[in-house]
Every structure is written in C-alpha cells, then in structure tokens.
Amino acid sequence: MADNDQKTAANQALAAEIRAERAAVGITVRELALRSGVPYGTLNRILPGERDISFGQLTQLAGALGVTPSDLSERAVRRMGGMDAVVSGVSGQNVTPLRRVEDMTVDEIEAEQKKAATIDPEMDTDEQFD
C-alpha cells in the first residue's frame, strides 16, 4: 500500500470511529462541533474521511465525546486490521518498520541498542558555544 493510501486509510478508520462514538453518545454533528470547538465545516470534511485529522482536533473531538484520543486511535488501528497490518502497509525511505521487542532475539536487541548509540557520535559530547 502506498504511503498516501495508508494515510487515507488511517484517516478514514479514525473518522469512522469518531462517527461511531458520536452516534453512541447521541449528538448531532453540529453539537459535536460546538462541544469540541472544531468548526462545523471542518468536521463535515473530517467525518467522511476527506480531510486529515490533526492531533489537536483529535484531542478536542475525543474530549467532547468523553473518550481519550488513544481510545479512538486504538479502535481505528483495530478497524484497519491491527498494528501488524498498519505496519506492513507502511513503506517509504523515511519510515522504519516497527519491530516488536518480543519478536527479537537478545542479539538483535543489543545490536539495535548499539546502532542507536552510534548513529550520531556527537550525541555524547557537550556542545561548545562561542
């Protein structure tokens, strides 16, 4: 799945969870906009998955619905087939696929720790300002 497709799928899954929670709470879209502070027009583009959802908007919407942003995010990940499906769909040179520590050997964990410590040799030195 291309990065943009993955992003769209994630937004659509998150939007679906927000719609489901709104229906469960029993409020209108206009009422959700008023309670959350997210403009009605913006919300009308977020709910069908047509617009990206910022973290700030997610926080506002979750608070208005009486849930946490992580509740909605976790449900969206499950809707997408779980974290394994989400991670396997991510591609691109700027993204490192996630690996669960539980699936790694001790040698692999130690190698990752060593790599993390040696990526930037200047990380362990104090900065000098003139």
Side-chain angles (χ1 to χ4, degrees), residues 71-97:
D71 289 335
L72 293 172
S73 298
E74 288 169 8
R75 290 185 215 158
V77 167
R78 281 196 300 274
R79 181 179 289 268
M80 293 176 68
M83 187 55 81
D84 289 337
V86 172
V87 170
S88 68
V90 174
S91 64
Q93 56 185 301
N94 293 330
V95 178
T96 302

Side-chain angles (χ1 to χ4, degrees), residues 1 3 9 20 28 36 39 46 50 56 58 63 67-68 75 88 110:
M1 185 179 294
D3 291 340
T28 65
S36 68
I46 287 174
E50 297 170 0
L58 177 61
V67 296
T68 66
R75 290 185 215 158
S88 68
E110 289 174 355

Side-chain angles (χ1 to χ4, degrees), residues 4-57:
N4 199 39
D5 292 342
Q6 185 73 7
K7 181 179 175 184
T8 300
N11 275 307
Q12 290 175 345
L14 195 50
E17 291 306 323
I18 294 168
R19 288 192 310 269
E21 194 63 35
R22 182 192 63 80
V25 172
I27 59 174
T28 65
V29 174
R30 191 164 301 281
E31 180 65 22
L32 180 56
L34 290 171
R35 288 184 185 187
S36 68
V38 174
Y40 180 75
T42 301
L43 197 51
N44 271 331
R45 291 192 320 272
I46 287 174
L47 292 177
E50 297 170 0
R51 184 180 192 283
D52 290 351
I53 304 168
S54 72
F55 183 74
Q57 291 165 336

